[in-house]
Each structure stands twice: as C-alpha cells, then as structure tokens.
Amino acid sequence: EYYDYVESVDTNEEDEVDKKYHEMSDLESMVLNTENQLPSQPTKPALSGYPQPRKGGWPYAGPGLKGGAPMSEMDLNDDCSVGITTREAGENYRVAGTRVESEESSITWSKFGHLFNQDLKKLIDNIVAEIQFIKLTEFQEIFLHSIGSLKDVFAVVNTGAGKTLATGIAALLLRKVFNEPSGLIIVFVPLTGILEEMVQSEKVSTAAITMNGKMYGIKDEVRVTVTDEDILAGKFARLVMHPEALKNSNVEKLLLQLKQQKKVLGSFVDEFHVMQPNHWASFRPGMEEQTARLRVFLRKGGPTGALSATATKADLDTAVQTLGLRGEPVLLAESPLQSHYKFVKLRRPSDNYGFEGYLDQKETFHPGLLDQLRVIYINEYVRCIMSEEEPKHAVIFFRTENQLILLLNYLRETLGVSNARSAPFVSLVASTPPVTEMVISKRKGSISLYLTTQKNAHGC
C-alpha cells in the first residue's frame, strides 16, 4: 500500500510521503505485536524491507526497531555464514580510505641532495628556457638529475605531479648528455588516452605507434603520418607506444635500426604496475612479455624509468625483474607504496534466505544479504551516526532497486530518518525525481552513504 501510495503522489509532496510511511510503519508494528508468541516459520511482513522475526527477538533489532535483543556478532559469524569474520571486516573497514602520510613520503632536495649535479642543472635550465616552461617541481628536478646521471629511476607519484612532461624533458636532456641530437627515448604506455596526451605535447616532439604498428604525429592539431625515415632522422625526441606494438614486425625492424645506430637513449614505462602478472597482464599477456624486451634496444648506459601513481612493494620487485635491471633503481616515492584499491570478493548468502534472512522450521536462522552488509559496513555506519561521529563514506551498488529499497528502509527505521532533506544516507536510482536529485546535489557534503543502481554515482 505504501509503495502504491508513493507512485500516486506528486514528487514534491515529500512530507506527505513521510507521513504515510510512518503510518504504515505503525500499522505494521501493531500487526506483528498482536501475536504473543513469535512464529516458528518465517512470515512476510506487511511492508517489505523489515526484518523477519526469530526466536529470541529480531536479528537486527536496534534503535527504532521493535523486538528483542539484537543478534550478536558471534551469532552472525561463528560459522562464517556471511562470508567474512567480524575481525576481517573490521580490519577492512579500518584501512578503507586511509592514506599513510609521513615525513619520508615527500620528494625534496633535502632528502635527495646527493643526486644534485651542477652541470646537469645548467643543461636542464637551458632546456626549460628553450621550451618556454616556467618552473619545474622538485620532483621533476630530482627525476631529471637522476636520469641525466644515467641512473634507473622508479617514480611513484600522484596523478598531476608532472610525470609526462618529465619524460619529455628527459628525452631532450639525454640528447645533450649523449651528444646525440637525433636520439630519442621510447615510452611504453598501457592506455590510448595516455598515448594521445603525450603525442599532443607542444613542448616535446612526440610520435606514436598504435597496437597495429601505424605511426603518426600531430601537426597543427591534425594527425599526420610518420615514416621510419622521420624517426631515424631525429625529428622526434620521444616515441610512445603500446607494448604490444612490438609484436609488429615493421616496428621491431625500426627499433633494431635505432639500436644499431645507438639512438635509443632511454626507455620508460608509464603506469608500470598494470603490466605485472597480477594486474592487466592477465588479460593482455603481451604487455609483460614485450615490456621485458624494451631494454634490449637501449644504447649502452641508457637509463630506464618506470612511473606510476600507485604501486606496491611487490610491483616494484616484479618490475625490476621484468625490466632486467641489474642494480637497485633510484626510488622517488611521493605517496605510500600501496594500491589505490583493495578488492575483497565474498560469497554472498543464498537468495533462498531472502534479503533479511530466513528462520527455518528448526528455528535455525540463516543470514541474508543484509547480515553480510551489516558486518562489512552498516553496523559501524549506524554506530557512528548514533554517536554523532563522522562515518567512512561509501557507495553501495545494487543490481536492481528491490534490495536497495530494503536496505534503505532498514536504515530509515534503525536511524529514525526518512527525509532526503536531512538523512545522512540517500538513494540514487533511475526513478529518483529531479527535485530529489537537486536536493541531494545541494547537500552532498553532508551525505556519507549513497545507495544506487547507477554506475555514474561512483563520482559522488
């Protein structure tokens, strides 16, 4: 009846909807409390979205819920019936969204002063003046001093730190260090977007090679064909390509010619962590194999650089082996060596138990998806809201709106909040009225939990 009512009212009448919601909630409570004894078999509540009764009280009873004592965490997890233990879930929650900042996490000359070289500084200053660039960051300066000293470098710095420009200036610097004005560097990239960004650079002449071996450059904002002769003549200081392009016989022939003429002055791998076996190499196996061949084309003494916005210690160790580095590279780490994302895959409770769980004829309770969500996040979220603490923000995706509505109702009842104008949690679905979306947008700073079926809600 409640949902039929919601469908019939005007989208602006939120207060009336809230009033009807509470009327129906009270009605349901009256119906369920008319029985002196809880049923031994599951019953369908008058309104979907409310917990099933069980022996000893409601399994999710808490503030705002009628029933007995709440189901303990041991009840939920003693047999790991929700796919994860409380301790594991607690540790996952603890590290979620954290970033370890320490004094050692920045890249400054005070820490890397031993890499400074006065002669290199003059060369770098001249190049910066030639390309009419205003000022390098400390990271870019230290990176270039390392490359100019012909040291292998691993740079783990945040997006926007200037890695792309740093590799371009490195190409111009190595031309001066090796006294080879027609030399170039080779840069492996995993994404076409990165390749396009580099080839459109106005500061450093760059040519690109697609996966199928076609070469091109940009002139007056128009894509133009590039020939082998253009590359060998030194018209481009940077050659950027997907690793798989090396499978093309024409590309391999060109790189062998460059090798014979000792014109490959440096090799670089952007976003090197995704080329490892436990990353993209699992579905692009050619990436790791061809990346391992990159240094073959280097002239003697040419440095290698590996860049990423994120990497783990294991990624670094694997990359050292993949690239065939003999010595320890210079490590420039602006942020902690950790992955941006941690993925935990859990077996969800059976759909046979419903969203709220199932009480069988033997009075054994089988947890549902709500129990799993509570252990993973919802319990701590509710505790923070009730204690007026700031919870960790989250977006929970649902395949359909049915289960989203059930969780939304559970949170409304538990926290005693149902109005999108004030609730710390909101739902975003295809049927969300424009007026409500506008309200949510205006107060997004105070919203800590989004329940959604929309992929673009990841940007909330």
Side-chain angles (χ1 to χ4, degrees):
E1 181 182 341
Y2 169 70
Y3 291 113
D4 289 341
Y5 176 80
V6 171
E7 294 287 334
S8 66
V9 299
D10 186 85
T11 54
N12 294 322
E13 298 177 1
E14 289 193 27
D15 293 334
E16 291 299 317
V17 173
D18 294 338
K19 180 179 178 182
K20 187 69 174 179
Y21 173 85
H22 289 294
E23 288 178 1
M24 295 305 297
S25 299
D26 294 338
L27 176 61
E28 183 193 18
S29 299
M30 290 171 59
V31 171
L32 292 177
N33 285 321
T34 55
E35 296 291 334
N36 294 325
Q37 188 176 13
L38 289 172
S40 59
Q41 295 187 23
T43 58
K44 186 71 174 178
L47 267 178
S48 59
Y50 291 86
Q52 302 282 359
R54 70 180 290 242
K55 185 177 181 180
W58 294 86
Y60 332 108
L65 278 182
K66 310 294 189 294
M71 188 177 190
S72 72
E73 298 307 323
M74 286 303 296
D75 286 335
L76 288 174
N77 296 300
D78 54 3
D79 60 353
C80 206
S81 57
V82 293
I84 188 170
T85 65
T86 303
R87 178 175 296 181
E88 292 170 331
E91 177 61 19
N92 289 340
Y93 183 91
R94 185 186 67 80
V95 301
T98 59
R99 192 177 192 84
V100 182
E101 298 291 354
S102 63
E103 185 181 354
E104 290 73 31
S105 67
S106 59
I107 302 172
T108 61
W109 277 118
S110 62
K111 297 170 187 172
F112 293 94
H114 59 284
L115 297 173
F116 180 83
N117 182 291
Q118 187 61 44
D119 292 333
L120 285 174
K121 183 180 185 307
K122 293 178 181 179
L123 292 177
I124 294 170
D125 289 345
N126 289 338
I127 293 172
V128 170
E130 289 172 8
I131 65 175
Q132 298 181 345
F133 190 71
I134 300 175
K135 181 177 177 58
L136 297 174
T137 65
E138 276 192 281
F139 154 68
Q140 291 171 327
E141 290 178 347
I142 296 169
F143 177 84
L144 291 170
H145 276 256
S146 302
I147 292 296
S149 300
L150 306 184
K151 298 180 184 295
D152 299 326
V153 181
F154 278 24
V156 184
V157 294
N158 295 326
T159 301
K163 299 187 294 292
T164 299
L165 179 62
T167 61
I169 297 178
L172 303 178
L173 177 62
L174 289 173
R175 281 183 166 185
K176 296 181 180 295
V177 170
F178 282 109
N179 193 27
E180 179 54 79
S182 61
L184 54 74
I185 65 169
I186 298 175
V187 183
F188 275 2
V189 297
L191 293 171
T192 301
I194 301 176
L195 184 146
E196 291 284 351
E197 178 186 353
M198 289 189 178
V199 80
Q200 291 175 16
S201 170
E202 298 178 354
K203 303 295 185 185
V204 182
S205 56
T206 304
I209 304 181
T210 64
M211 278 192 181
N212 58 12
K214 293 183 179 180
M215 286 193 295
Y216 70 94
I218 300 293
K219 184 177 181 180
D220 297 328
E221 300 184 357
V222 177
R223 181 180 291 201
V224 296
T225 301
V226 172
T227 65
D228 290 4
E229 290 71 24
D230 292 332
I231 300 295
L232 294 170
K235 291 185 178 180
F236 299 92
R238 181 168 57 184
L239 183 60
V240 56
M241 67 181 77
H242 293 289
E244 292 92 336
L246 267 182
K247 294 181 179 180
N248 184 285
S249 58
N250 292 329
V251 174
E252 185 174 28
K253 180 181 177 180
L254 172 62
L255 295 191
L256 286 173
Q257 287 181 282
L258 289 168
K259 174 182 172 64
Q260 291 170 356
Q261 298 180 24
K262 300 180 180 180
K263 290 189 175 181
V264 182
L265 311 180
S267 60
F268 295 82
V269 181
D270 199 9
E271 302 298 346
F272 69 88
H273 67 283
V274 304
M275 303 186 188
Q276 306 308 321
N278 59 334
H279 289 277
W280 291 13
S282 60
F283 59 90
R284 285 175 63 179
M287 295 178 71
E288 182 186 15
E289 177 186 348
Q290 303 307 326
T291 301
R293 299 178 56 204
L294 179 57
R295 282 174 55 84
V296 171
F297 304 101
L298 270 178
R299 70 176 290 164
K300 186 176 181 180
T304 293
L307 307 102
S308 174
T310 178
T312 64
K313 182 63 168 62
D315 292 333
L316 293 172
D317 295 339
T318 303
V320 168
Q321 296 177 4
T322 300
L323 294 171
L325 304 183
R326 296 182 179 179
E328 192 76 18
V330 175
L331 176 59
L332 304 179
E334 182 181 62
S335 55
L337 300 179
Q338 62 181 16
S339 295
H340 276 2
Y341 302 98
K342 177 179 181 179
F343 293 96
V344 179
K345 184 171 67 175
L346 305 179
R347 181 182 295 275
R348 56 173 290 164
S350 172
D351 286 337
N352 294 331
Y353 301 150
F355 185 74
E356 304 94 346
Y358 174 73
L359 187 70
D360 63 23
Q361 293 183 355
K362 297 181 180 180
E363 298 186 346
T364 300
F365 183 75
H366 302 272
L369 181 59
L370 177 57
D371 296 290
Q372 189 176 61
L373 291 173
R374 287 182 63 234
V375 172
I376 295 171
Y377 176 75
I378 297 299
N379 278 349
E380 185 63 17
Y381 179 78
V382 169
R383 186 197 67 78
C384 288
I385 297 298
M386 297 294 290
S387 304
E388 297 184 353
E389 300 177 18
E390 181 66 19
K392 292 194 175 182
H393 293 207
V395 178
I396 302 180
F397 290 92
F398 294 85
R399 191 172 299 173
T400 66
E401 292 186 18
N402 294 337
Q403 292 179 335
L404 181 153
I405 293 172
L406 297 178
L407 181 57
L408 183 67
N409 285 345
Y410 170 75
L411 289 170
R412 282 171 165 173
E413 183 73 5
T414 303
L415 295 172
V417 180
S418 60
N419 195 318
R421 296 191 183 97
S422 59
F425 54 90
V426 296
S427 65
L428 278 176
V429 295
S431 58
T432 300
V435 173
T436 304
E437 285 188 348
M438 189 181 303
V439 171
I440 291 173
S441 177
K442 287 183 178 179
R443 54 179 300 267
K444 60 185 178 182
S446 61
I447 297 173
S448 50
L449 173 60
Y450 288 84
L451 311 179
T452 184
T453 56
Q454 300 176 345
K455 293 181 180 179
N456 61 1
H458 188 63
C460 291

